[in-house]
């Protein structure tokens, strides 16, 4: 019913889902005038500084809008057990005045912080040695996949040192925590985010050509790859990988920070949904007990794992995506293919042709498995695969462009995906999905990172007209909204071409900043030159 209402809404807006090539030509949007674009670019270049966190402004960085904090009590900064706490404290003393130091307490994490997460109280910021850029708003820490797009934006802005510093922070996390973290807060220690680390490293290397730095990065990238390719991140017997958070129970930042105007948490709204809706996308008893109106431990595992995917939330894996733990996702496995190819290139750059061949071979094995499980030759799209049921999903999602972005699609597959762009194209560019669910990673919303991946994927296979059209739609939408609001935001309603959002699930705000929107705006424009 919701899907029918969605397309009816489109018809009212004067659009149809069948936006074929002949219609697309008539619906082209041009780039705004140069002076209008320049105003947005000026905002972006200024915002890099306001979004940067370093030791000098640590007191600003430790503050967390997502959790409650008792006034007058110190903020806690945690460091890894494998770090030199005395050296860290000496660095902070040199960077911060005494008044700032008195408001911060330094604590050392347990040697196995995930196993002892229950004793880490209160939650706090995790120390990072280098400056970094935060997304903005309630996201006042360095995030995993956000950072790739921010790094690209910084490189387009000529901020190579800051881009390298952010990449060094990600390598630091792998060294001390075994993975790139969702973000540098203690409640994120149990999970990562979509793996863009190898792409970050190579993007920075293209500007620095520092072979010693690259050589030091390779074993850490390989260690991070192992996080994704060993249990529990394996997707059944497919040979592919899945998202899987290592923690248990409700996510602390969700309980505290994702409340509606009535004070209900995201989990309260989920329980209400289960009480009042029939769910057929998965076996609901795995996640909800009707007799006690309670969410099961497996629900929280799925909820946390959905957050590791970065798409929090959508209905891509059924309501609230909690069934994600039973899927091999398109995006994750495409990114791992890119990581395998990236590491092969790193070894080739460093003169180790044998290691490069091994990594190329891994990539080819993954490509064959993606073709087997995730490619739908009838629909001409990539879909996630449920290894529990042995069936592919039919949920149309913008991650279908990831295989084009990483270059694992054949020319024929790319042509089929490009021909199906009309399913997701909207007045403001690219819908995240074709479904309205009340969640932010579904229709009618669009997100900057998915634009960049789709546009670059289309360009890679020669579909420049479609890429230019999506770019013009995104840039014009963001520019027009900037002229109304004075800011860039996290997400946009790409049907209405505005930043106004009306969400039912997850956090319901639209955050100002915004790191990856800034970055993608610059990157897409650069490709139009």
């Amino acid at each position: 019913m919701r899907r029918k209402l969605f397309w009816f809404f489109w018809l009212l807006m004067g659009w149809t889902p069948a936006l074929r090539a002949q219609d697309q030509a008539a619906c082209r949007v041009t780039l705004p005038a140069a002076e209008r674009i320049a105003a947005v670019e000026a905002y972006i270049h200024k915002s890099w500084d306001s979004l940067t966190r370093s030791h000098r402004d640590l007191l600003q960085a430790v503050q967390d809008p997502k959790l409650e904090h008792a006034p007058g009590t110190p903020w806690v900064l945690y460091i890894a057990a494998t770090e030199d706490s005395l050296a860290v404290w000496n660095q902070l003393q040199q960077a911060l005045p005494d008044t700032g130091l008195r408001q911060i307490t330094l604590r050392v994490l347990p040697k196995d912080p995930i196993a002892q997460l229950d004793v880490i109280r209160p939650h706090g910021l995790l120390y990072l040695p280098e400056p970094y850029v935060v997304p903005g708003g309630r996201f006042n820490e360095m995030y995993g996949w956000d950072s790739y797009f921010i790094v690209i934006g910084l490189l387009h802005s000529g901020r190579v040192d800051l881009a390298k510093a952010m990449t060094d922070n990600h390598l630091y996390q792998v060294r001390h925590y075994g993975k790139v973290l969702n973000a540098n807060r203690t409640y994120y220690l149990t999970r990562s985010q979509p793996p863009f680390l190898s792409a970050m490293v190579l993007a920075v290397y293209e500007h620095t050509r520092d072979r010693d730095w690259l050589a030091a990065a390779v074993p850490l990238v390989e260690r991070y790859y192992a996080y994704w390719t060993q249990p529990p991140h394996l997707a059944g017997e497919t040979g592919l990988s899945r998202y899987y958070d290592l923690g248990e129970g409700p996510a602390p930042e969700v309980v505290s920070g994702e409340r509606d105007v009535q004070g209900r948490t995201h989990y309260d709204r989920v329980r209400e949904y289960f009480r009042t809706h029939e769910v057929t996308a998965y076996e609901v008893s795995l996640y909800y007990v009707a007799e006690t109106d309670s969410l099961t431990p497996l629900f929280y595992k799925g909820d946390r794992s959905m957050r590791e995917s970065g798409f929090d939330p959508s209905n891509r894996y059924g309501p609230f995506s909690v069934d994600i733990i039973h899927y091999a996702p398109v995006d994750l496995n495409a990114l791992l293919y890119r990581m395998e190819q990236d590491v092969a290139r790193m070894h080739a750059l460093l003169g180790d042709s044998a290691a490069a061949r091994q990594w190329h071979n891994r990539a080819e094995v993954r490509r064959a498995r993606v073709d087997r499980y995730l490619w739908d030759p009838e629909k001409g799209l990539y879909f996630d695969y449920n290894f529990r049921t042995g069936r592919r999903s039919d949920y149309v999602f913008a991650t279908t462009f990831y295989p084009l972005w990483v270059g694992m699609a054949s020319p024929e597959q790319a042509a089929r995906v490009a021909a199906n762009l009309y399913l997701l194209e909207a007045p403001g560019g690219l819908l995240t999905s074709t479904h309205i669910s009340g969640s932010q990673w579904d229709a009618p919303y669009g997100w900057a990172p998915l634009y960049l991946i789709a546009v670059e994927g289309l360009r890679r296979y020669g579909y420049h007209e479609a890429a230019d059209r999506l770019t013009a739609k995104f840039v014009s939408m963001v520019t027009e909204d900037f002229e109304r609001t004075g800011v860039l935001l996290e997400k946009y309603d790409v049907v209405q071409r505005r930043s106004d959002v009306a969400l039912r699930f997850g956090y319901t705000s639209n955050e100002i900043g915004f790191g990856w929107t800034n970055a993608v705006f610059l990157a897409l424009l650069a490709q139009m030159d």
Side-chain angles (χ1 to χ4, degrees):
M1 181 62 182
R2 287 184 179 278
R3 189 172 185 181
K4 290 178 180 177
L5 288 173
F6 175 55
W7 295 127
F8 178 68
F9 177 69
W10 270 51
L11 288 167
L12 289 177
M13 294 292 295
W15 288 76
T16 82
L19 194 63
R20 301 286 188 176
Q22 63 269 25
D23 303 310
Q24 291 165 351
C27 299
R28 289 195 185 117
V29 177
T30 58
L31 288 174
E35 61 271 17
R36 297 173 66 200
I37 290 176
V40 181
E41 290 176 325
Y43 169 90
I44 291 171
H45 294 309
K46 184 178 180 181
S47 72
W48 291 140
D49 291 325
S50 64
L51 294 173
T52 297
R53 304 289 180 263
S54 67
H55 293 166
R56 290 191 303 274
D57 50 19
L58 183 62
L59 191 57
Q60 181 183 7
V62 293
Q63 297 178 35
D64 187 357
K66 296 182 295 303
L67 296 185
E68 294 181 0
H69 178 76
T73 61
W75 296 89
V76 182
L77 176 68
Y78 289 92
I79 67 170
T82 48
E83 180 58 278
D84 185 336
S85 58
L86 181 59
V88 169
W89 186 246
N90 288 336
Q91 290 175 12
L92 299 182
Q93 285 182 312
Q94 294 175 22
L96 282 169
D98 288 343
T99 52
L101 285 173
R102 284 196 292 270
Q103 297 179 65
I104 296 171
T105 297
L106 188 68
R107 293 185 187 173
V108 178
L109 289 168
K111 289 184 178 179
D112 186 354
I114 295 177
Q116 297 179 263
L117 198 59
D118 288 344
V119 303
I120 300 175
R121 292 292 184 276
H123 284 293
L125 186 73
L126 296 169
Y127 166 81
L128 291 172
E130 303 292 339
Y132 53 89
V133 176
V134 303
R138 70 196 293 268
F139 302 110
N140 188 35
E141 48 274 320
M142 186 186 77
Y143 280 78
W145 73 315
D146 292 68
S147 292
Y148 167 74
F149 300 95
I150 291 170
V151 161
I152 296 302
L154 290 171
L155 293 174
H156 279 290
S157 300
R159 306 288 293 271
V160 177
D161 288 345
L162 186 52
K164 180 178 179 295
M166 289 191 68
T167 307
D168 282 334
N169 281 333
H170 283 69
L171 295 168
Y172 176 91
Q173 289 183 338
V174 177
R175 184 180 299 113
H176 290 284
Y177 303 115
K179 58 185 177 292
V180 172
L181 299 175
N182 186 151
N184 60 317
R185 299 279 181 191
T186 50
Y187 47 79
Y188 290 135
L189 281 164
T190 60
R191 62 179 177 266
S192 185
Q193 273 201 321
F196 284 86
L197 178 61
S198 63
M200 290 173 63
V201 169
L202 284 175
V204 170
Y205 175 77
E206 291 296 329
H207 286 74
T208 67
R209 295 291 173 177
D210 187 336
R211 286 171 57 86
D212 291 337
W213 179 79
L214 181 65
V218 169
L220 293 171
V221 174
E222 291 179 341
R223 182 180 177 189
Y224 184 43
Y225 173 82
Y227 168 83
W228 290 108
T229 54
Q230 296 176 357
H233 282 97
L234 294 181
E237 303 299 320
T238 63
L240 299 172
S241 294
R242 65 173 175 173
Y243 294 110
Y244 196 87
D245 187 296
L246 303 178
E248 306 293 338
E253 77 282 8
V254 175
V255 173
S256 178
E258 295 190 10
R259 294 179 179 270
D260 62 16
V261 293
Q262 297 172 287
R264 299 179 304 169
T265 71
H266 171 66
Y267 300 132
D268 293 331
R269 299 194 296 276
V270 169
R271 288 188 297 107
E272 179 185 53
Y273 183 93
F274 282 142
R275 287 196 303 268
T276 57
H277 291 74
E278 181 183 6
V279 176
T280 59
Y282 49 67
E283 188 178 334
V284 71
S285 61
L286 293 172
Y287 304 112
Y288 174 72
V289 181
E291 293 77 10
T292 57
D293 188 29
S294 60
L295 303 174
T296 70
L298 194 64
F299 171 89
Y300 292 116
K301 178 66 72 176
D303 176 77
R304 285 169 166 268
S305 301
M306 170 267 293
R307 296 172 195 282
E308 182 170 68
S309 79
F311 297 107
D312 51 328
S314 77
N315 276 19
R316 178 177 165 194
Y317 305 98
F320 318 109
S321 280
V322 290
D323 207 35
I324 190 172
I325 55 178
H326 296 128
Y327 281 84
V330 172
D331 46 304
L332 175 57
N333 286 284
L335 291 173
L336 291 174
Y337 172 88
R338 169 149 189 181
M339 184 178 284
E340 289 154 351
Q341 295 284 35
D342 285 348
V343 176
R345 184 180 170 212
M346 292 176 194
H347 281 297
L349 288 167
L350 296 170
D352 190 341
S353 57
R357 281 194 300 273
Q358 290 177 350
W359 283 91
H360 275 306
N361 290 339
R362 287 190 177 104
E364 289 307 310
V365 169
R366 187 173 301 276
R367 183 207 298 266
R369 289 169 175 163
V370 166
D371 283 351
R372 176 182 176 184
Y373 292 107
L374 309 184
W375 172 248
D376 190 318
E378 294 183 4
K379 293 185 172 67
L381 292 168
Y382 290 91
F383 292 99
D384 310 309
Y385 178 77
N386 188 322
F387 60 85
R388 184 170 180 262
T389 64
R391 294 193 297 269
R392 267 192 302 269
S393 169
D394 62 358
Y395 203 91
V396 178
F397 208 80
T399 48
T400 195
F401 291 98
Y402 275 61
L404 279 65
W405 186 66
V406 304
M408 71 190 306
S410 69
E412 294 76 20
Q413 288 168 324
R416 297 288 306 283
V417 172
N420 280 319
L421 172 60
Y422 75 93
L423 293 170
L424 292 166
E425 190 167 354
L430 190 72
L431 289 161
T432 304
S433 80
T434 56
H435 296 253
I436 288 180
S437 66
S439 295
Q440 60 183 0
W441 286 99
D442 274 316
Y445 305 113
W447 294 72
L450 297 181
Y451 276 87
L452 188 64
I453 285 170
V455 167
E456 291 187 346
L458 289 165
R459 289 198 191 283
R460 183 169 191 151
Y461 288 86
Y463 298 99
H464 298 289
E465 184 178 349
D468 288 349
R469 188 175 65 249
L470 287 180
T471 296
K473 287 183 173 185
F474 176 80
V475 170
S476 63
M477 175 183 66
V478 171
T479 301
E480 291 165 12
D481 196 80
F482 172 77
E483 291 166 350
R484 285 192 294 268
T485 64
V487 294
L488 266 62
L489 289 122
E490 177 189 27
K491 51 189 172 272
Y492 293 84
D493 179 329
V494 297
V495 174
Q496 301 276 14
R497 289 175 55 87
R498 300 176 69 94
S499 59
D500 303 327
V501 298
L503 302 170
R504 294 177 58 205
F505 302 109
Y507 64 93
T508 56
S509 58
N510 199 357
E511 299 302 318
I512 295 173
F514 191 83
W516 62 21
T517 308
N518 300 351
V520 170
F521 189 91
L522 297 178
L524 290 179
L525 278 174
Q527 294 173 21
M528 294 285 278
D529 294 341

